[in-house]
Amino acid sequence: MTGERRMERPRGRPKESKAEREASRAEREIVRAEREREETLANWVPKTELGKLVRTGKITSIDEIFKQNKPIFESEIIDSLLVLKESLVDVKKTTRVVRAGRKFSFRVTVIVGNGNGYIGLGTAKDTEKWPAVKKATKNAKMHIVQVARGCGSWECTCNTQHSVPFKVLGKNAACRINLIPAPKGIGLVVGDNIKDVLKLAGVDDVWCKVTGATSTKLNFIKATIDALEKTMKMKVNDSIAKKREKP
């Protein structure tokens, strides 16, 4: 009929913003990683004594493994005891000259952490990128370390685990980094290359002072993890030990 307005149908789906797309992609990645983790654990046949103890339920905490100082040779041990997040931090295309010509491969570095005091770094090579990522992730889980956190700043008396318990120095090659305790609310006053490392370790507030060749990203990350690992190795007095105790 003439004179009547026609209702316009919406054309397709409304456009999503960049933040919404990134959030949906992150959710899909989390679901995919959880599904792969469940499938891996369902088909896992342990080969080491430690793996058999974890599989049978005799060891139920990662802290027990660190107290007994046992080496980890199976990544499924970590998958059984911790829920980890992954971050791809470095990808390099390498070349090796052989008699037949040049042979290309990918060197990938991955960090894993649970955001609550555990972090690991792994590096691997492969002729394809994504197989190298899987190898590096597996390697990172087998080289996971424990991080002591606390409230080490004299400006803060909250006694929560939001920073490092004391000033600590990390080294790798020509890179040096000093992690300095910061009061709550300061945030991560560090370079962008190591922010993911500290977040995955569960450190929310810290200052840093760096010297040497910090332009090499991989050495910078390794020096940071070395500093975090030293928080558990250094001998401290009773007052500092109380700051890094778990509540």
Side-chain angles (χ1 to χ4, degrees), residues 182-211:
K184 198 166 188 177
I186 291 294
L188 298 176
V189 189
V190 297
D192 292 336
N193 290 338
I194 62 172
K195 280 187 177 180
D196 286 342
V197 179
L198 295 170
K199 287 178 182 177
L200 289 175
V203 178
D204 300 323
D205 307 284
V206 75
W207 284 310
C208 82
K209 181 180 179 181
V210 295
T211 57

Side-chain angles (χ1 to χ4, degrees), residues 28-38 84 86:
R28 290 195 300 269
E29 287 293 326
I30 292 172
V31 172
R32 181 189 60 81
E34 185 64 25
R35 190 184 303 117
E36 289 182 356
R37 176 174 172 269
E38 291 176 357
L84 300 174
E86 305 170 8

Side-chain angles (χ1 to χ4, degrees), residues 50 54 59-73 77-79 81-82 84 112-114 116-121 140-148 225 228-233 246:
L50 179 61
V54 173
I59 293 180
T60 58
S61 173
I62 188 71
D63 294 330
E64 297 180 32
I65 298 175
F66 280 98
K67 285 179 181 178
Q68 298 173 13
N69 199 21
K70 290 186 176 181
I72 300 172
F73 296 112
I77 295 174
I78 302 299
D79 287 331
L81 302 176
L82 294 175
L84 300 174
V112 297
N114 69 338
N116 193 23
Y118 291 97
I119 184 109
L121 174 73
K141 291 175 182 178
M142 290 189 292
H143 290 85
I144 202 162
V145 296
Q146 194 175 16
V147 179
I225 293 181
L228 294 173
E229 188 176 3
K230 285 180 180 177
T231 58
M232 290 296 298
K233 294 181 177 180
K246 293 185 178 181

Side-chain angles (χ1 to χ4, degrees), residues 19-228:
E20 291 176 346
R21 289 197 301 270
E22 290 180 354
S24 61
R25 184 172 61 182
E27 290 177 0
R28 290 195 300 269
E29 287 293 326
I30 292 172
V31 172
R32 181 189 60 81
E34 185 64 25
R35 190 184 303 117
E36 289 182 356
R37 176 174 172 269
E38 291 176 357
E39 291 177 358
T40 303
L41 292 177
N43 300 325
W44 176 37
V45 179
K47 300 178 181 178
T48 61
E49 182 181 353
L50 179 61
K52 293 175 182 177
L53 292 174
V54 173
R55 184 68 170 174
T56 55
K58 294 181 180 179
I59 293 180
T60 58
S61 173
I62 188 71
D63 294 330
E64 297 180 32
I65 298 175
F66 280 98
K67 285 179 181 178
Q68 298 173 13
N69 199 21
K70 290 186 176 181
I72 300 172
F73 296 112
E74 294 179 273
S75 61
E76 291 84 1
I77 295 174
I78 302 299
D79 287 331
S80 300
L81 302 176
L82 294 175
V83 179
L84 300 174
K85 297 179 183 178
E86 305 170 8
S87 178
L88 182 64
V89 294
D90 189 48
V91 179
K92 295 289 185 182
K93 193 172 183 180
T94 61
T95 307
R96 184 163 61 94
V97 179
V98 295
R99 182 175 295 181
R102 294 182 179 180
K103 189 175 181 180
F104 296 97
S105 61
F106 289 91
R107 188 198 69 190
V108 175
T109 304
V110 174
I111 54 174
V112 297
N114 69 338
N116 193 23
Y118 291 97
I119 184 109
L121 174 73
T123 304
K125 282 186 177 182
D126 201 280
T127 54
E128 298 293 335
K129 180 181 176 181
W130 295 113
V133 171
K134 289 184 178 180
K135 287 181 181 179
T137 304
K138 187 176 180 180
N139 194 15
K141 291 175 182 178
M142 290 189 292
H143 290 85
I144 202 162
V145 296
Q146 194 175 16
V147 179
R149 297 169 298 150
C151 181
S153 176
W154 62 272
E155 301 176 83
C156 184
T157 57
C158 65
N159 293 325
T160 58
Q161 296 185 345
H162 64 94
S163 185
V164 288
F166 43 79
K167 185 178 178 181
V168 63
L169 173 66
K171 303 178 182 179
N172 187 267
C175 182
R176 304 287 185 272
I177 179 169
N178 271 296
L179 295 180
I180 305 169
K184 198 166 188 177
I186 291 294
L188 298 176
V189 189
V190 297
D192 292 336
N193 290 338
I194 62 172
K195 280 187 177 180
D196 286 342
V197 179
L198 295 170
K199 287 178 182 177
L200 289 175
V203 178
D204 300 323
D205 307 284
V206 75
W207 284 310
C208 82
K209 181 180 179 181
V210 295
T211 57
T214 58
S215 58
T216 307
K217 185 177 181 180
L218 186 56
N219 289 346
F220 197 11
I221 292 172
K222 286 182 177 180
T224 305
I225 293 181
D226 180 57
L228 294 173

